[in-house]
Amino acid sequence: MSQELGDLLLSAGALTEQELREAMAYQRNGGIALGEAVVKLGFSDETAVARAVAKQNGLPFIDLDKGRVSEDILARLPAEFATEHGILPLMEKGGRLIVAVDDPFKKILAEQIEFMIDAQVACALAAPTALKRAIQRYYGVTGEEAVAARMGVGDGDDDDDAPIVRLVTKTFQDAVEMRASDIHVEPGHGRVRIRFRVDGMLRDIAEHQEHLAAPLLSRLKIMAGMDIAEKRKPQDGRIALSIKGREIDVRASILPSNHGEAMVMRLLDRTASLIGLKELGFGPDDYEWFQRTIKRPNGICLVTGPTGSGKTTTLYAALSELNRPDLKIVTAEDPVEYHIRGINQVQVNGRIGLSFARILKAMLRCAPNVILVGEIRDRETAEVAIQAALTGHLVFSTLHTNDAPGALTRLIDLGIKPFLVSASVRSVLAQRLVRVLCPECHVSYTPGAAELHAVGLDPVLLAGRPFYKPHGCRACEGSGYRGRMALFESLEMDPGMRDLTFRGASLEELRNTATSTGSLRPLMTDGSRRILDGATSVAEVLRVTR
C-alpha cells in the first residue's frame, strides 16, 4: 500500500524518486505511515498527501479552508463525539450525511454514527491539521479538552490526571454496560484504539489521540500493579473494580509492540450468578450423559476448547450440582473466578511457587472426594491428576485442544504414558460458544441445499421447515445477535477407545473410530440441533465448527 501511495505522489508531482526512497527509509525506521514521513521530511505538504491518500482509498477529498458548515449540520452530531474522534459533519447529499475524517481507517466509525443519528453516513478525507483547525473553529474545543469534558472534568479540577482517571473509569463502565468480556487498548498509527469483545466478536468503540496513550497505559498499569517504567517486556496484573454495585475482577496483560504497548483486559463479573447444569444448554441425551459422568466415583473428566469458550463455566455448573455436605470438593484455580459456598478453593500463585501441581499434591492429603484442577498445562500437573484419578478421586480439569479426541493425544504429548491415559480418562467434553440470534429482529429464510449439507442436514427431509438468520436492529446494535450459548461435543471412553488409546493410535484413527461406534457425538450434531431450534444461524455454526 505504501508503494501505491508513493506512485500516486510521484504522478502528482508531489515528490521526486529520490525523496520517495528517503521517505520510505524514514517510514521503516520510524514505524510511521509513508504520508506522515513525507510531511515530516518536508518533501510535500499535508494537502497534497491527503489528496493522494484519498485517491488511494477511493474517498473524496475535502478542503476545509473553503466554505462554511451550517449550524443545522453541526447539530446532527454530538459535539463531544465529533471533537474526541476528530470528525466534522459537512453537508447532506443524496440523503446521506457527509463527514470529514483525517484517516481512511476512521471509515469504521461511519456505522456507529449511522446508529447514533439514524441516517446514512459517508466519509470524505481532509488534511489532519486543517481538520483540527476546523473542529476548533466550529466547536471551540480541542480534542484533549473534549476528552476532559466528556469525562466530566472542568477547568478548575486540581488533579492533573483527572481526565485520564475519568476516561479509564468511563471505559470500564461502558464495557460492563455492553456486556463486554474483554477490553483491548491498542496504540499505533497516530491514535489509541479501544475495542470491546462482545459475544465473542471485537467491536471498535473509540479512538483517542496519540498523546493519550502514555498516560492511559500508565494509569491502567498502576491499577493492575504493574511496573510503569518497564515498557519492553510483557507483564500481567489484576484489577479489582466495583461498578454500579457489581464486583468486577479484571485480568490485565501487556504486550510490547512496534507501535507501543498494547493491553488486553478480561472482565469477570464476580456478582453474576452461577449457571446451573440445566441452563448450560445440553440436549436431552447429552444432559443425561453428563449427569452420569460427573457422578462417577473416580476418573478424569476433561473439558476442552479454546480460550474463552466457557470451559470454566461448565465445570462450575458440575461442581454446583455435586456440592453436598457429604462430599469434600477442593479446587486449584488461576484465578478463583467464582466463590462457591461449601467448596475449598485455592488460588495459584506463581510468585511463591504455588503451582497447580504443588496444590494438587497438597490436596491429596486433605482426603477430598472431588478435585478441580483449573488447567492441565504441563507434565507434572497431568501426572498428579492421573494418580489422583487412579487412587479413587473424581478429577475435573480443562485442556486447550480443538476437539474431544484431541485431549487424549494432548496428554500423551505432555509425556503421559498411553496406558495411564487409557486407564484414567472417563470422558471428554469439547465446547464452543456461538452467538444467539436477536429475538427482536431475526428473519426467516430458505437456505440452499449446499448450506444445509455443510451442517449435516438433509434438505429433502427439512423442506418447508423455517430457518432463521440475523438482520440487525438497535437492540443488538446491528449485529443480529445478542448473547451466546454453548455447543458440545461429547466423547465416552468405551473399551474400544481405551484399547486404541493404550496402543497410542493417531488422532485421526481415534476420531474415526469414536464416530463410527457412536461414542463420539460431534460438535456439528449439536450445532444442527441448535439451528433447527431457531436459536442460531447456519453461518454462525459454520463459523465456530469449520
Side-chain angles (χ1 to χ4, degrees):
M1 182 174 283
S2 298
Q3 185 60 51
E4 292 175 4
L5 177 60
D7 291 340
L8 290 169
L9 290 169
L10 286 174
S11 62
L15 74 169
T16 65
E17 290 274 4
Q18 178 62 31
E19 289 172 337
L20 175 58
R21 284 193 292 271
E22 289 182 32
M24 292 182 73
Y26 186 82
Q27 172 205 9
R28 286 191 295 270
N29 294 332
I32 59 176
L34 177 61
E36 187 180 349
V38 170
V39 173
K40 279 191 173 183
L41 291 171
F43 294 154
S44 187
D45 58 33
E46 276 192 341
T47 301
V49 171
R51 286 183 185 277
V53 172
K55 186 174 182 181
Q56 180 192 23
N57 290 274
L59 291 174
F61 174 80
I62 184 76
D63 187 350
L64 294 176
D65 292 327
K66 299 176 182 177
R68 183 164 183 83
V69 181
S70 70
E71 293 293 332
D72 291 340
I73 294 296
L74 290 172
R76 294 293 304 278
L77 209 58
E80 294 84 358
F81 183 89
T83 50
E84 182 184 345
H85 293 283
I87 293 174
L88 182 68
L90 299 173
M91 66 186 79
E92 282 188 322
K93 187 175 182 181
R96 295 191 298 177
L97 176 68
I98 310 298
V99 298
V101 297
D102 58 3
D103 186 339
F105 185 81
K106 288 187 179 180
K107 288 190 294 184
I108 60 175
L109 291 172
E111 186 177 340
Q112 185 177 349
I113 298 172
E114 286 178 350
F115 277 103
M116 288 173 56
I117 66 174
D118 196 20
Q120 289 188 320
V121 175
C123 295
L125 198 70
T129 303
L131 181 58
K132 287 180 182 177
R133 283 200 307 267
I135 289 173
Q136 191 165 6
R137 183 167 73 248
Y138 289 118
Y139 291 112
V141 293
T142 62
E144 301 92 302
E145 292 166 342
V147 171
R150 180 171 173 265
M151 296 305 121
V153 181
D155 293 334
D157 202 308
D158 294 331
D159 188 351
D160 291 337
D161 289 332
I164 290 299
V165 173
R166 300 291 178 89
L167 174 60
V168 169
T169 302
K170 184 67 164 56
T171 300
F172 281 122
Q173 288 174 345
D174 290 346
V176 171
E177 288 176 7
M178 291 181 65
R179 304 175 296 108
S181 60
D182 302 87
I183 300 172
H184 294 245
V185 181
E186 301 164 328
H189 303 290
R191 61 184 178 275
V192 183
R193 182 168 64 160
I194 308 294
R195 295 197 288 175
F196 293 169
R197 189 180 295 279
V198 181
D199 292 336
M201 307 297 285
L202 281 171
R203 298 183 187 177
D204 284 286
I205 299 300
E207 284 186 4
H208 304 303
Q209 295 182 10
E210 187 178 27
H211 72 275
L212 292 175
L216 177 61
L217 285 166
S218 293
R219 171 64 181 170
L220 290 170
K221 281 182 172 182
I222 291 170
M223 293 175 70
M226 297 179 181
D227 182 358
I228 63 171
E230 180 56 73
K231 302 180 187 300
R232 301 166 300 167
K233 298 178 182 178
Q235 295 188 67
D236 294 312
R238 286 198 170 84
I239 305 171
L241 301 172
S242 181
I243 299 176
K244 296 183 178 178
R246 298 165 66 178
E247 297 300 320
I248 308 296
D249 183 43
V250 182
R251 281 182 278 173
S253 297
I254 285 276
L255 181 67
S257 71
N258 61 337
H259 293 296
E261 292 178 293
M263 180 177 257
V264 178
M265 293 170 284
R266 171 159 287 189
L267 308 183
L268 178 69
D269 188 350
R270 289 186 176 274
T271 60
S273 57
L274 285 171
I275 295 177
L277 211 56
K278 289 184 178 179
E279 288 77 49
L280 285 176
F282 284 113
D285 293 340
D286 284 335
Y287 178 73
E288 290 179 11
W289 171 83
F290 197 58
Q291 279 272 17
R292 292 194 309 271
T293 296
I294 65 174
K295 291 178 180 177
R296 286 174 173 161
N298 54 56
I300 294 182
C301 176
L302 294 170
V303 179
T304 75
T307 301
S309 59
K311 300 185 296 295
T312 305
T313 301
T314 298
L315 289 178
Y316 271 123
L319 292 185
S320 298
E321 184 81 7
L322 295 172
N323 193 12
R324 306 190 308 266
D326 61 319
L327 285 180
K328 183 176 180 68
I329 303 175
V330 188
T331 74
E333 304 171 63
D334 185 21
V336 175
E337 297 190 5
Y338 296 100
H339 297 282
I340 309 174
R341 188 175 181 179
I343 293 180
N344 303 277
Q345 297 172 270
V346 185
Q347 169 82 46
V348 169
N349 189 339
R351 293 180 181 177
I352 60 172
L354 199 59
S355 62
F356 278 119
R358 189 171 178 183
I359 294 170
L360 194 48
K361 289 175 182 176
M363 277 182 187
L364 297 178
R365 296 192 289 270
C366 299
N369 301 103
V370 180
I371 295 171
L372 167 65
V373 185
E375 183 183 345
I376 294 177
R377 298 175 179 172
D378 51 45
R379 178 177 177 174
E380 186 182 9
T381 306
E383 285 177 341
V384 181
I386 284 175
Q387 289 303 320
L390 294 175
T391 52
H393 302 86
L394 179 60
V395 181
F396 293 101
S397 191
T398 68
L399 272 176
H400 288 280
T401 63
N402 291 325
D403 57 9
L408 305 174
T409 55
R410 172 66 177 148
L411 288 173
I412 294 170
D413 289 342
L414 285 174
I416 305 301
K417 290 181 170 55
F419 78 88
L420 289 175
V421 177
S422 171
S424 60
V425 177
R426 293 285 181 266
S427 60
V428 185
L429 188 73
Q431 63 183 68
R432 296 288 190 279
L433 293 180
V434 293
R435 293 177 293 171
V436 178
L437 286 167
C438 174
E440 303 291 332
C441 66
H442 68 272
V443 294
S444 61
Y445 78 114
T446 303
E451 197 175 355
L452 292 179
H453 280 306
V455 290
L457 296 174
D458 189 337
V460 177
L461 296 177
L462 298 171
R465 180 153 186 166
F467 288 82
Y468 299 94
K469 64 179 180 180
H471 180 263
C473 65
R474 291 187 180 276
C476 60
E477 298 178 336
S479 68
Y481 299 93
R482 185 172 178 82
R484 288 189 292 175
M485 63 184 181
L487 301 184
F488 299 100
E489 176 175 273
S490 57
L491 173 65
E492 179 79 25
M493 288 296 287
D494 59 17
M497 289 299 294
R498 291 190 188 285
D499 182 57
L500 284 174
T501 306
F502 180 84
R503 292 190 283 109
S506 67
L507 176 58
E508 184 179 3
E509 188 178 355
L510 287 169
R511 186 168 187 86
N512 290 340
T513 302
T515 304
S516 62
T517 60
S519 60
L520 176 72
R521 292 174 61 85
L523 197 66
M524 186 66 80
T525 300
D526 203 33
S528 301
R529 176 179 68 86
R530 288 303 198 169
I531 292 168
L532 294 175
D533 289 344
T536 191
S537 65
V538 173
E540 182 66 5
V541 170
L542 289 174
R543 181 180 70 85
V544 301
T545 58
R546 294 291 177 88

